[in-house]
Amino acid sequence: MYTFLLDGRTLYYPGDELCTLTGDPVVKLAIGQAGSCEMTIPPTNPLYNSVQLRKSMLTVMRGDAEIFCGEVREATKDRNNCLKVYAVGELAFLQDGIQPQHYYGDVTPTSFLQSVLAEHNDCVEARKQFTAGLVTVTSGWDQSLKVTDHNSTLEALREQLIGNLGGCFRIRKANGTRYLDYVTLSDYGSANAQGINFGGNLLDYSETLTASDIVTCIIPLGARTDSQGDFETRIDIKSVNNNLGYLTASQNVLNRFGYIWKVVTFDDLESPADIKVAGQDWLTEAQYETLRLKVTAVDLSLLDADMDAMNLGDRIPCKAEPYGLNMTLPIIEQTIHPLAPQKDTIVLSATLKNSQPTISDQV
């Protein structure tokens, strides 16, 4: 069940005769982005005249969990005098603060995040402030790149942290405090047992992987054992695979795509059994690492309270037998239709695009 709050007051509650919305409200969420919410408020709603631009805060709740909180940026009336409202998520507050020209020297990612947020908090009102939270991205830190130069807080953090180390920002709230975490994609959400399955809760499916990218048969090889002239010898899997040096996808996949071969080398493996396992994993997981999977899927938690709800960053088991796909992918984008959940879509991918949106993209 979804509810909407405007500055802490009930704007929409299912079944209420006055606290209603018209049309199809939409919440859009993406890892590392502010997200947005669009809705239409009828004149009969008690809070119709309470919307204040750049001040009112809109919150969307799913049960007891907050899935969106942001500031109202646009409010326009249509021909029926209904108020169309557009709100941008709290991450956008980091665009309202400016960082001074400063070279931070020899500091860790945690210290840099703390220092930049301290500068940000000094120049914005309390409702736009953040507390530095968890930092799990640490590898590859370049001590010479910690500079701010009259750019916004968000630009400074994206340039110095995400631009150099990857990772993503996550807003987390606890005990009335808004934290900004800087975490790896694998640390963003939690394991979700619900799953995406053909013939189950999957309603529609599209993906960026083309048939030209798919491999159905591989020859897995391990560490180098010897060189003979122009040839090198590597450990194979014949001793543990009925004297066959190759692995194939399922018969259904072979029937669909045919025999498409590739040699896959695992330089650090010396056990034929380990090489075989790694090869099988490659066929069903590794070759799909660049896959961007967009699905229209029913969130079964709306029907069964005991099921895990699908949340941004959650790692979802995905099975697509026609492609031989069997791997776990995190949700990197969600489009939620609270009044029409059959329209909900999610995007799953093992990689994030670290391009920095322009201001017109509403961060």
Side-chain angles (χ1 to χ4, degrees), residues 283-336:
L283 269 176
T284 57
E285 297 187 19
Q287 73 165 313
Y288 296 103
E289 284 181 349
T290 59
L291 178 68
R292 185 179 175 89
L293 184 69
K294 182 177 181 180
V295 299
T296 302
V298 175
D299 186 345
L300 297 179
S301 68
L302 298 174
L303 306 175
D304 185 347
D306 293 330
M307 274 203 166
D308 296 332
M310 291 185 182
N311 296 306
L312 200 65
D314 280 359
R315 300 178 294 280
I316 309 292
C318 301
K319 294 184 178 180
E321 179 61 27
Y323 287 83
L325 170 66
N326 183 13
M327 67 184 301
T328 298
L329 293 170
I331 299 174
I332 64 169
E333 295 178 19
Q334 279 184 295
T335 300
I336 300 170

Side-chain angles (χ1 to χ4, degrees), residues 3 134 189 286:
T3 56
L134 300 174

Side-chain angles (χ1 to χ4, degrees), residues 84-252:
K84 293 185 175 182
V85 174
Y86 178 78
V88 178
E90 295 168 293
L91 194 68
F93 287 151
L94 294 176
Q95 282 193 325
D96 293 346
I98 293 294
Q99 295 295 311
Q101 290 181 320
H102 189 76
Y103 175 68
Y104 283 89
D106 187 12
V107 296
T108 64
T110 299
S111 297
F112 181 75
L113 179 64
Q114 292 171 339
S115 298
V116 169
L117 289 181
E119 292 284 356
H120 172 81
N121 293 342
D122 283 343
C123 64
V124 297
E125 57 270 41
R127 70 185 187 91
K128 297 180 180 180
Q129 295 178 359
F130 292 80
T131 298
L134 300 174
V135 176
T136 65
V137 183
T138 56
S139 61
W141 182 241
D142 188 334
Q143 303 289 354
S144 66
L145 296 177
K146 298 178 292 300
V147 177
T148 58
D149 186 10
H150 292 154
N151 42 357
S152 74
T153 302
L154 186 59
E155 290 169 341
L157 290 174
R158 279 181 169 156
E159 179 182 341
Q160 301 298 329
L161 295 180
I162 293 179
N164 290 313
L165 305 180
C168 45
F169 298 127
R170 176 185 64 187
I171 293 177
R172 176 174 53 88
K173 295 178 180 177
N175 300 321
T177 300
R178 181 198 292 132
Y179 292 95
L180 183 67
D181 296 334
Y182 175 46
V183 296
T184 63
L185 180 57
S186 61
D187 290 330
Y188 193 101
S190 58
N192 190 308
Q194 186 173 152
I196 298 292
N197 299 283
F198 275 91
N201 59 338
L202 186 63
L203 301 182
D204 192 19
Y205 167 85
S206 65
E207 36 76 26
T208 58
L209 186 71
T210 65
S212 62
D213 298 318
I214 292 175
V215 174
T216 62
C217 307
I218 66 168
I219 299 174
L221 299 174
R224 182 185 293 110
T225 59
D226 195 8
S227 295
Q228 298 179 1
D230 294 331
F231 300 99
E232 65 177 19
T233 304
R234 290 180 175 272
I235 301 172
D236 60 33
I237 64 170
K238 291 181 179 180
S239 62
V240 293
N241 195 47
N242 296 322
N243 208 35
L244 298 176
Y246 61 87
L247 299 170
T248 66
S250 69
Q251 190 60 49
N252 287 338

